[in-house]
Amino acid sequence: MGSLGGNVLPPQPYLKIYFVGVAVVSFVGLCFSSFFKKKNQVHENPNLLQSLWLFFYSCFLKPHNGDSKGNQQDALESFYKKQAGAYDATRRALLKGREDMLSLAAAQLAYRATKTDGSSEKKRRVWVDVGGGTGWNIEAMSQFVDVGEFFDSVYLVDFSPSLCEVARKRFERLGWENVKVICQDARKFRLDDHEPASQGRRPSPTGLSLFSQERPPHGAADLVTMSYSLSMIPDYYSVIDSLPSLLAPNGIIGVVDFYVQSEVDVSFRNYTGGLVNRHVNFFGRTFWRAWFDVDRVALEPGRRDYLEYRFGTVLNANTRNYTFGAIPYYIWLGSHKGPASSSLPHEIVEKVDALVTESPYLYPANHSAALSRAVERAAPEIRSKAFDAAIVNISSNLPLPSFFYQNHHYRIYYDDQLKKHTQFNDEYIYAFTWEDTRVDERILNLKSDDVVLAITSAGDNILSYALQSPARIHAVDLNPTQNHLLELKVAAYSALPYEDFWKIFGEGKHPEFRSLLISKMSPHLSSRAFQYWLNNHHIFSKSKGGLYDTGGSKHGIRIFRWITRVFGCRSAVKELLAAKTLNEQREVWRNKIRPALLSRLVSKLVVSQESFLWTALGVPKNQLAVIEQDHAVSDAVCGANPRAKNTRSHAIWEYMVNTLDPMVESTHIAADNPYYLVCLDGQFSRRCHPDYLSPQAHARLSRPGAFDGLRIHTDELDEVIARIQPGTLTVAVVMDSMDWFDPGSDAAAAQIAKLNRALKMGGRVMLRSAGLAPWYLKEFESQGFSARCMGSRKDGACIDRVNMYASCWICTKKENLAPPTPTSEVDSAAAEITSLEI
């Protein structure tokens, strides 16, 4: 056998395969290159195979040879010239999020068009697409608006002649004469060179030194977009700096692009509009930057950071393109740094601060002079956390928090990075509210001058109060996602017809939820709420589950279903829901369901466990202690014929019996008890649902201005009460939150004292309790309140359709604590300052 000689080993089989593979790829590449070289004159619209090869060759094989002149345009042409005709075919799957950005922008424009100032002169609507390439974005916008009619002028600005030529042919084919393709450096583009000198705009100065020409602070473009172009611009600072001079005062800028960033970079910023999914891990940051750097696409975070610094954030979303290995990309909508609703940043800050704190500035129309007088009268000075955060940002020349740039100011600023908010792990506990709104309406009987403070929960009760049209509603919840749920409901009222509204919140499902969220509801949501629901759109769009199979309360509902399956009574639940009369329902309950659900075994092993009570039902340990204390002195333990032991499992079993038996015996679930219907069936019915889901409620709450009096606070009850002007509240609905206090601490007394100071004389606190006579009633009485029981479960009574609480109370303010609560100055301010418009 011949030898290769020396120390050279014979080639291994896998090396031979490798060499053959390299040879084949090289040969095929040479053939394709030769083929395209011959055909490049005739193949302006290559087929799919040719497009894919052009994309692969241009991105990974073809050397960049456009640097000989040191010119960015030559560098772009080197990259795009060969693949210009195939650009759109090869980028559809790679450049995700473009349609979403356009849809979001179109929704903002459509909403803002309804808020015009009423001037007789028709304003031209202008769109500038910076780095628009082949014009794909502009054609794609036709899915959302009629581009030829909606916009008076559309300018595509791009620096690549090859891509601009493709765009010109596109718009000739579409017949859109209002679209103009400008092959120019974006830094040099000025609208005044192309738009007619009208609507108060001055024409470009002529005959002046170039050094004396300053860009105006704003322009005339209602929309400016950048779609995967910011990451390809070397001198991005100057391009971003040029955009404010293009954007109209009330205009929108939309950007979609690749990015990588660590949460460490942005966790301390309060103006980014939320951080959901923004963090990219170390491997992802390193890999994607290196990968895109091959094609001179720069993913360093400074580009996005500077964009967010120069503009105010309206909406922001971070997501991934899973088609190509989870490439991170973001969608961002912004506006001018100074909010358009005021001439100066400090004015909008004062306005929003007044909305939060119930200060006299709630009433201005001619506010220019009245502002200082109204604020000066508000002594001692009380400021909101939104005000504190805004002052810090303004003094540092930073944008305001994103809440200040929203179309509606009912969601109040909060720091979403605080542990007290992150402890909930982005999950709400309640998908629906467990308080009977019919009973609340009867007890409270709200009037048009009432100022109400209530815990948000799932927001159903807040919407019920809104139907009674009080002057103001302050919704408070420490869990941000509970407030996101309320925001979603408010946005759905504002943007959706009743049938879509019913599918989302009546049935808990809508296959088109994501599309409706982006194209309809987004202008009515804060950035953080939008981020949350975009990230969790599957809750509504999945074929199984739905809204009412989510949240912490889903655990209790699922365990009930598990119990009915184990005990073979699932069919009995269907019988219960199909019962046509109350007597039929009682028979099914007594004979088929009650023996399983209220068995001592289930109570001991499942329901009485502290972890289950908190996770599934939201019962904290202090409230559990209230239940056990009442049980220890009840007739079931201490009566003449005791039937239970003084243990936790027996206490919970007795509490369940006193909750469920009277409810089933007194209310017809299928016809008039939506709270248990949704637990058993996973959705409401057209026959049985909360009042906010009725067509009449939708017609009323979908009117313009229906939620002008709503304020949504994400904070502790104590913090919100402390920052409200004394003597302004008339009603505070605290649900069962007083049960959560430790009887051995002074926290309950401190909150009651704050309630006394915030309430007007005669103001009421409505509360529910797991106890028949809760211990803190004495605290209320010692701090200027009188307590009155509005319902008690003594002797097996059913106090409302939920019957979950043992008692309901109204505590009325009878006297002030020292120092006396100052008289509200609302009436005196109203003569001078009559209305507020943001």
Side-chain angles (χ1 to χ4, degrees):
M1 181 182 293
S3 172
L4 293 175
N7 294 322
V8 179
L9 297 176
Q12 298 297 321
Y14 68 85
L15 289 177
K16 294 180 180 179
I17 295 173
Y18 174 78
F19 289 137
V20 170
V22 170
V24 169
V25 170
S26 301
F27 177 75
V28 171
L30 181 62
C31 292
F32 268 99
S33 299
S34 302
F35 173 74
F36 284 115
K37 187 174 182 180
K38 295 176 182 179
K39 299 292 185 178
N40 61 358
Q41 299 296 325
V42 296
H43 281 278
E44 295 179 353
N45 296 304
N47 59 37
L48 179 61
L49 182 60
Q50 293 169 331
S51 298
L52 292 174
W53 166 251
L54 279 172
F55 171 69
F56 180 78
Y57 173 72
S58 299
C59 292
F60 304 110
L61 298 179
K62 181 179 179 294
H64 290 285
N65 56 10
D67 296 328
S68 58
K69 298 180 181 180
N71 187 311
Q72 171 66 4
Q73 188 174 52
D74 288 341
L76 287 172
E77 278 298 277
S78 170
F79 184 71
Y80 284 122
K81 187 173 183 179
K82 293 291 185 182
Q83 57 170 320
Y87 184 88
D88 292 335
T90 57
R91 297 311 197 275
R92 181 178 295 273
L94 177 65
L95 306 183
K96 292 288 188 179
R98 292 181 293 175
E99 295 98 327
D100 289 344
M101 183 271 285
L102 294 171
S103 181
L104 288 168
Q108 290 284 338
L109 292 176
Y111 173 78
R112 296 182 182 207
T114 66
K115 301 296 180 181
T116 56
D117 57 7
S119 59
S120 57
E121 182 183 1
K122 181 182 181 297
K123 182 182 182 301
R124 288 176 59 81
R125 190 175 285 122
V126 179
W127 173 16
V128 179
D129 189 20
V130 178
T134 65
W136 187 94
N137 280 351
I138 297 173
E139 183 174 1
M141 178 64 96
S142 62
Q143 302 173 58
F144 315 111
V145 298
D146 185 340
V147 175
E149 295 294 330
F150 189 80
F151 294 102
D152 293 281
S153 296
V154 180
Y155 297 94
L156 185 156
V157 183
D158 200 279
F159 211 18
S160 169
S162 298
L163 297 182
C164 286
E165 184 60 28
V166 174
R168 289 190 183 96
K169 293 178 180 179
R170 179 192 298 273
F171 300 129
E172 287 176 6
R173 170 176 56 82
L174 294 170
W176 290 347
E177 296 181 358
N178 60 328
V179 181
K180 303 173 181 63
V181 179
I182 311 295
C183 189
Q184 185 179 21
D185 188 334
R187 296 172 296 182
K188 301 177 182 178
F189 176 77
R190 282 166 170 74
L191 267 179
D192 289 342
D193 296 338
H194 304 277
E195 279 290 286
S198 61
Q199 303 175 40
R201 294 199 315 278
R202 294 175 295 180
S204 298
T206 57
L208 297 176
S209 168
L210 291 175
F211 297 104
S212 65
Q213 295 185 26
E214 294 184 3
R215 283 184 177 266
H218 55 76
D222 300 272
L223 176 63
V224 176
T225 55
M226 298 183 74
S227 174
Y228 290 97
S229 56
L230 182 59
S231 58
M232 297 198 69
I233 299 174
D235 186 15
Y236 63 90
Y237 287 105
S238 58
V239 172
I240 293 175
D241 284 340
S242 72
L243 299 182
S245 65
L246 300 178
L247 194 64
N250 200 38
I252 285 291
I253 178 169
V255 178
V256 57
D257 215 326
F258 303 118
Y259 84 100
V260 292
Q261 193 161 37
S262 168
E263 61 185 354
V264 176
D265 297 342
V266 293
S267 59
F268 59 91
R269 299 175 191 164
N270 64 6
Y271 55 85
T272 60
L275 303 178
V276 175
N277 282 340
R278 183 148 180 171
H279 177 70
V280 179
N281 61 40
F282 174 78
F283 175 78
R285 297 196 303 271
T286 305
F287 176 78
W288 290 120
R289 285 191 67 171
W291 178 271
F292 281 99
D293 191 56
V294 173
D295 293 324
R296 302 189 180 187
V297 178
L299 269 60
E300 73 268 19
R303 295 170 184 264
R304 184 180 181 184
D305 290 344
Y306 191 60
L307 181 71
E308 292 175 330
Y309 167 74
R310 290 290 278 119
F311 294 91
T313 296
V314 176
L315 289 178
N316 184 11
N318 310 288
T319 185
R320 304 291 185 268
N321 181 352
Y322 291 102
T323 305
F324 287 93
I327 305 173
Y329 69 93
Y330 68 93
I331 302 169
W332 179 88
L333 260 60
S335 63
H336 277 289
K337 208 170 184 177
S341 52
S342 290
S343 58
L344 295 172
H346 75 267
E347 291 186 5
I348 188 66
V349 173
E350 292 283 4
K351 290 177 182 180
V352 174
D353 182 61
L355 299 180
V356 179
T357 62
E358 294 292 328
S359 80
Y361 186 57
L362 280 168
Y363 299 88
N366 53 335
H367 55 265
S368 55
L371 168 61
S372 59
R373 294 194 293 274
V375 172
E376 286 171 2
R377 281 198 301 267
E381 187 175 87
I382 296 178
R383 294 298 194 182
S384 68
K385 292 183 178 180
F387 180 89
D388 295 342
I391 291 302
V392 171
N393 286 28
I394 290 174
S395 64
S396 305
N397 195 30
L398 295 172
L400 295 170
S402 64
F403 297 97
F404 288 91
Y405 300 98
Q406 310 304 315
N407 293 317
H408 307 282
H409 289 292
Y410 39 65
R411 186 69 184 266
I412 307 304
Y413 165 81
Y414 69 98
D415 185 349
D416 60 351
Q417 296 304 298
L418 295 178
K419 188 175 181 179
K420 65 182 181 180
H421 300 312
T422 60
Q423 65 174 318
F424 298 100
N425 297 318
D426 271 347
E427 183 182 36
Y428 45 85
I429 298 175
Y430 306 105
F432 57 95
T433 302
W434 274 100
E435 276 72 27
D436 191 339
T437 55
R438 183 187 296 169
V439 172
D440 285 7
E441 181 178 357
R442 174 178 56 81
I443 293 175
L444 295 175
N445 191 25
L446 298 176
K447 306 297 184 183
S448 60
D449 59 348
D450 275 315
V451 178
V452 182
L453 180 142
I455 295 174
T456 304
S457 186
D460 306 359
N461 53 329
I462 303 298
L463 300 176
S464 176
Y465 302 149
L467 286 169
Q468 301 170 58
S469 302
R472 190 85 61 242
I473 303 174
H474 292 276
V476 185
D477 209 295
L478 186 60
N479 186 340
T481 54
Q482 296 287 175
N483 284 334
H484 294 341
L485 183 55
L486 172 59
E487 258 201 90
L488 185 70
K489 292 176 180 179
V490 172
Y493 274 121
S494 303
L496 300 182
Y498 178 70
E499 286 305 313
D500 287 325
F501 183 85
W502 170 261
K503 285 183 180 180
I504 293 173
F505 300 110
E507 300 172 8
K509 302 175 186 177
H510 197 307
E512 301 300 321
F513 175 80
R514 189 181 187 278
S515 175
L516 292 173
L517 175 69
I518 293 173
S519 63
K520 300 294 184 182
M521 292 186 281
S522 59
H524 308 280
L525 289 168
S526 68
S527 181
R528 292 177 189 177
F530 173 75
Q531 277 190 354
Y532 179 80
W533 291 116
L534 185 66
N535 195 49
N536 292 278
H537 66 88
H538 59 275
I539 289 174
F540 299 95
S541 54
K542 288 190 310 182
S543 58
K544 295 183 179 180
L547 173 63
Y548 302 112
D549 192 40
T550 62
S553 56
K554 72 175 180 287
H555 301 295
I557 296 173
R558 289 177 178 179
I559 285 178
F560 169 75
R561 293 173 185 166
W562 174 78
I563 292 171
T564 57
R565 290 191 184 98
V566 169
F567 287 88
C569 55
R570 188 64 188 159
S571 59
V573 174
K574 295 180 180 178
E575 287 183 49
L576 187 80
L577 297 177
K580 296 181 179 180
T581 66
L582 193 55
N583 282 332
E584 287 183 29
Q585 175 182 286
R586 290 167 179 163
E587 288 300 315
V588 175
W589 168 255
R590 293 169 185 169
N591 299 323
K592 297 181 179 180
I593 299 178
R594 189 184 190 279
L597 185 62
L598 294 182
S599 68
R600 296 276 190 181
L601 181 63
V602 170
S603 175
K604 184 174 183 178
L605 297 181
V606 180
V607 181
S608 63
Q609 299 302 311
E610 191 170 318
S611 58
F612 171 83
L613 290 169
W614 168 244
T615 304
L617 303 179
V619 178
K621 63 179 181 179
N622 286 334
Q623 191 169 54
L624 179 58
V626 171
I627 295 173
E628 291 177 313
Q629 288 168 8
D630 271 11
H631 175 70
V633 296
S634 67
D635 289 341
V637 176
C638 303
N641 298 303
R643 60 180 182 274
K645 299 177 181 178
N646 187 16
T647 63
R648 174 174 294 179
S649 63
H650 280 233
I652 296 301
W653 186 85
E654 287 287 339
Y655 197 88
M656 289 176 58
V657 168
N658 292 331
T659 297
L660 297 177
D661 276 347
M663 181 275 298
V664 176
E665 298 289 335
S666 305
T667 68
H668 190 183
I669 294 175
D672 193 37
N673 197 326
Y675 308 99
Y676 288 93
L677 173 66
V678 73
C679 291
L680 298 174
D681 200 32
Q683 61 182 9
F684 298 108
S685 70
R686 300 276 185 169
R687 179 187 182 191
C688 180
H689 50 71
D691 51 1
Y692 82 91
L693 282 172
S694 69
Q696 296 80 9
H698 181 270
R700 186 167 182 176
L701 294 180
S702 60
R703 296 172 184 168
F707 292 102
D708 283 353
L710 176 63
R711 310 287 174 258
I712 305 176
H713 306 258
T714 309
D715 214 336
E716 294 104 332
L717 207 57
D718 262 8
E719 290 285 332
V720 176
I721 297 170
R723 290 175 182 259
I724 286 181
Q725 286 291 327
T728 54
L729 291 182
T730 61
V731 174
V733 183
V734 298
M735 294 186 177
D736 63 328
S737 65
M738 299 301 299
D739 280 355
W740 295 35
F741 285 106
D742 185 348
S745 73
D746 297 328
Q751 184 174 106
I752 294 169
K754 291 175 183 176
L755 283 168
N756 181 291
R757 188 159 180 77
L759 285 163
K760 287 183 175 180
M761 189 64 69
R764 298 165 291 165
V765 178
M766 181 179 178
L767 61 90
R768 288 182 168 91
S769 175
L772 292 170
W775 58 271
Y776 44 79
L777 291 178
K778 293 181 180 179
E779 291 286 352
F780 272 98
E781 292 171 347
S782 68
Q783 304 226 34
F785 291 89
S786 64
R788 179 186 175 192
C789 183
M790 306 303 294
S792 175
R793 291 197 323 197
K794 290 181 180 178
D795 303 321
C798 182
I799 61 175
D800 56 41
R801 289 176 294 174
V802 178
N803 206 38
M804 183 66 70
Y805 300 101
S807 60
C808 177
W809 299 81
I810 289 287
C811 297
T812 305
K813 179 178 174 178
K814 296 298 185 182
E815 59 181 277
N816 289 321
L817 299 180
T821 302
T823 303
S824 172
E825 296 187 15
V826 166
D827 296 333
S828 62
E832 177 182 52
I833 305 175
T834 56
S835 65
L836 171 65
E837 183 176 334
I838 294 185

